[in-house]
């Protein structure tokens, strides 16, 4: 059997003593990691408050209230984590406009315009546009893969969810 020689790792690469000076923390077993996450009730409360704030803002969203809603959403970023706000916005968009069994041609442009307004207001600090593009493409990729497998089985047709995702992507590029 193979055994690494002194000064080498199991792949035969030389170990550098200067690279191994990083501080090591003690090992936490997986069952204790999960318990530590469950003890973090403050984070759960923060996420619930954020979800409520996003939902209440986006429930008012229409073409007439587009500017005020995007300003309200942009004001959430200093109070909450950027990644949490971005994820909450994506979850709301996906639940309301993408996951429907019909084409949401009237709702998707308004949502994407709102998110584009937030992206313009906050700039590259929040990277909302990039986050949305990444999430849409990730979902679209998995949906396309599922539909290709379904086509191989002889079933035809494109789901409305895939069409809604394509609409979101097109409007994201259209609104910049």
């Amino acid at each position: 059997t193979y055994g690494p020689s002194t000064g080498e790792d199991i792949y035969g690469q030389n170990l550098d003593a200067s690279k191994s000076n990083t501080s090591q923390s003690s090992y936490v077993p997986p069952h204790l990691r999960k318990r530590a996450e469950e003890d973090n009730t403050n984070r759960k409360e923060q996420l619930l408050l954020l979800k409520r704030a996003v939902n209440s803002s986006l429930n008012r969203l229409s073409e007439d209230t587009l500017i005020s809603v995007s300003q309200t959403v942009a004001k959430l970023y200093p109070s909450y984590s950027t990644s949490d706000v971005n994820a909450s916005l994506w979850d709301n968009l996906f639940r309301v406009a993408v996951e429907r069994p019909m084409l949401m041609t009237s709702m998707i442009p308004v949502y994407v315009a709102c998110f584009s307004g937030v992206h313009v207001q906050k700039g590259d600090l929040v990277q909302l546009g990039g986050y949305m593009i990444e999430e849409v493409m990730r979902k679209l990729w998995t949906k396309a893969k599922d539909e290709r497998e379904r086509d191989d089985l002889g079933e035809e047709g494109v789901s409305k969810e895939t069409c809604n995702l394509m609409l979101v992507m097109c409007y994201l590029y259209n609104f910049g």
Side-chain angles (χ1 to χ4, degrees):
T1 62
Y2 173 76
S5 59
T6 306
E8 291 182 350
D9 63 2
I10 61 170
Y11 303 106
Q13 298 174 353
N14 290 331
L15 294 176
D16 188 9
S18 64
K19 290 182 183 177
S20 63
N21 286 340
T22 59
S23 63
Q24 295 179 352
S25 61
S26 61
Y27 175 74
V28 179
H31 68 281
L32 292 179
R33 288 181 214 156
K34 190 167 187 140
R35 187 177 303 152
E37 290 175 9
E38 291 172 356
D39 291 339
N40 195 357
T41 58
N42 186 25
R43 173 147 170 80
K44 290 180 184 179
E45 290 173 6
Q46 288 284 355
L47 289 175
L48 183 63
L49 289 173
L50 173 63
K51 184 178 178 181
R52 286 182 183 162
V54 167
N55 286 342
S56 67
S57 296
L58 293 179
N59 280 341
R60 300 183 301 114
L61 186 61
S62 69
E63 289 181 12
D64 298 332
T65 62
L66 184 62
I67 294 171
S68 64
V69 170
S70 65
Q71 289 172 343
T72 305
V73 170
K75 290 178 183 175
L76 294 174
Y77 280 97
S79 303
Y80 299 98
S81 165
T82 301
S83 60
D84 289 343
V85 176
N86 288 349
S88 184
L89 290 172
W90 164 250
D91 289 341
N92 192 294
L93 170 68
F94 186 75
R95 190 179 68 256
V96 170
V98 174
E99 219 174 24
R100 301 290 176 163
M102 62 186 113
L103 285 177
M104 302 301 285
T105 55
S106 61
M107 189 170 287
I108 289 175
V110 177
Y111 264 78
V112 175
C114 177
F115 296 158
S116 296
V118 171
H119 182 77
V120 167
Q121 288 176 27
K122 298 308 271 183
D124 277 343
L125 295 175
V126 297
Q127 299 179 353
L128 179 61
Y131 180 83
M132 290 293 172
I133 289 172
E134 181 182 351
E135 290 299 317
V136 169
M137 288 308 297
R138 184 176 290 140
K139 283 283 189 189
L140 197 56
W141 186 263
T142 58
K143 283 306 239 179
K145 182 180 171 187
D146 293 344
E147 288 185 9
R148 267 188 251 114
E149 291 172 1
R150 203 175 67 199
D151 276 348
D152 292 341
L153 297 175
E155 299 173 17
E156 290 189 22
V158 178
S159 73
K160 299 298 182 199
E161 187 175 335
T162 305
C163 293
N164 286 334
L165 284 167
M166 280 305 300
L167 272 174
V168 170
M169 181 56 71
C170 291
Y171 279 111
L172 280 170
Y173 277 110
N174 191 27
F175 291 140

